[in-house]
Amino acid sequence: MKKKILIIFNFLVLFFIPLQNADAYMVKYKEDWYKLFHVHYQQYPDDCMENIYWLEKAVEADFCNPLYADAKIATEKEWEKYRYLFQMHINLKLIEQHLRLGRVYDKKCIYFYDAPWKEEYLSNMEKALSCYKAGLYYWKEAKIWYEKANAPTFRFLYIEDLQFWEDERERIFTGELNYEKIINREVERLEKNISELKAMDENY
């Protein structure tokens, strides 16, 4: 009997509790847009394009208050370097996404039997070439922000919460990370393949 009364009481309590609307989450600041970026285990073209959209929005957006930054910020100097590293990192991620997208349409090798599908291959390879060349633009942008973050004034200042971004900066400094070299190699190979494919006729 007591158990039944308890169940009825709980039901009545839940029934009369007023429902409240969940607060909407406004995506406004750079950090908010960046949180929407994610990499799938198997990434399809739509996933890459979605990520490019989020990252582009992050590039354009303002930074949030330092209190809510993605790292602990205690001084104005740390805040300045944080902003430079953030911009550098976003541009590096944009390069990665354009390379991933380009590889979907890229045809690594041209064979003598590819002639019947020449137009389809050429269309896809032009898309790949466009993606790779876009990566060069973002590399120039990343280098601008890298140079700011790598200025002598920050020589002994490390933002420990952003160690991965600091590592990216250091790898650019040492030359270990050089997307220009990687992309130019891909562009040269792809342009050669496009020329080879264009040279094929219906009698090839």
Side-chain angles (χ1 to χ4, degrees):
M1 186 67 180
K2 288 182 179 179
K3 191 173 182 181
K4 286 183 181 178
I5 293 171
L6 186 61
I7 291 171
I8 292 168
F9 176 76
N10 288 337
F11 174 77
L12 290 172
V13 168
L14 290 172
F15 184 77
F16 288 106
I17 290 176
L19 295 175
Q20 296 180 351
N21 291 329
D23 293 333
Y25 178 75
M26 182 184 288
V27 180
K28 181 178 179 182
Y29 296 108
K30 198 175 294 287
E31 290 83 355
D32 300 327
W33 288 109
Y34 179 70
K35 283 184 177 74
L36 295 173
F37 162 76
H38 56 286
V39 178
H40 300 269
Y41 176 72
Q42 187 169 356
Q43 200 159 7
Y44 296 101
D46 285 351
D47 300 320
C48 291
M49 287 186 277
E50 180 188 352
N51 275 333
I52 289 168
Y53 177 79
W54 301 138
L55 292 168
E56 285 283 7
K57 284 289 190 180
V59 168
E60 296 167 3
D62 292 328
F63 285 94
C64 68
N65 187 290
L67 183 64
Y68 305 107
D70 287 344
K72 184 180 178 183
I73 304 296
T75 66
E76 288 185 28
K77 210 70 180 167
E78 287 178 348
W79 176 234
E80 184 182 1
K81 187 175 186 184
Y82 167 84
R83 299 197 312 272
Y84 297 154
L85 285 173
F86 205 123
Q87 290 289 85
M88 177 201 75
H89 177 71
I90 288 175
N91 279 283
L92 291 176
K93 289 298 167 190
L94 277 162
I95 296 168
E96 288 178 12
Q97 289 303 303
H98 278 85
L99 287 175
R100 281 175 179 262
L101 187 58
R103 288 186 188 116
V104 172
Y105 301 106
D106 197 348
K107 182 162 173 52
K108 299 288 185 183
C109 300
I110 302 299
Y111 300 99
F112 69 92
Y113 48 75
D114 288 333
W117 302 279
K118 172 181 172 179
E119 296 306 320
E120 290 85 349
Y121 285 144
L122 283 174
S123 175
N124 282 341
M125 290 162 76
E126 290 293 345
K127 289 177 187 175
L129 192 60
S130 175
C131 290
Y132 294 157
K133 288 184 175 179
L136 286 174
Y137 165 79
Y138 293 113
W139 175 247
K140 288 177 184 174
E141 289 293 307
K143 287 289 290 292
I144 290 170
W145 295 107
Y146 145 75
E147 286 166 6
K148 291 177 181 288
N150 205 53
T153 184
F154 298 124
R155 184 162 294 161
F156 299 107
L157 174 62
Y158 295 92
I159 301 179
E160 293 181 3
D161 290 346
L162 300 177
Q163 187 59 55
F164 180 70
W165 298 3
E166 290 278 15
D167 289 345
E168 287 178 331
R169 176 195 54 75
E170 187 65 22
R171 288 173 62 214
I172 294 174
F173 174 70
T174 61
E176 183 185 349
L177 180 58
N178 187 341
Y179 274 120
E180 184 176 9
K181 184 178 178 182
I182 295 167
I183 294 170
N184 281 335
R185 185 181 65 228
E186 294 298 298
V187 167
E188 184 180 348
R189 175 193 53 76
L190 190 52
E191 286 178 338
K192 180 175 175 291
N193 286 350
I194 289 172
S195 297
E196 188 177 339
L197 196 55
K198 281 181 177 179
M200 292 181 180
D201 59 23
E202 64 275 8
N203 298 317
Y204 196 88

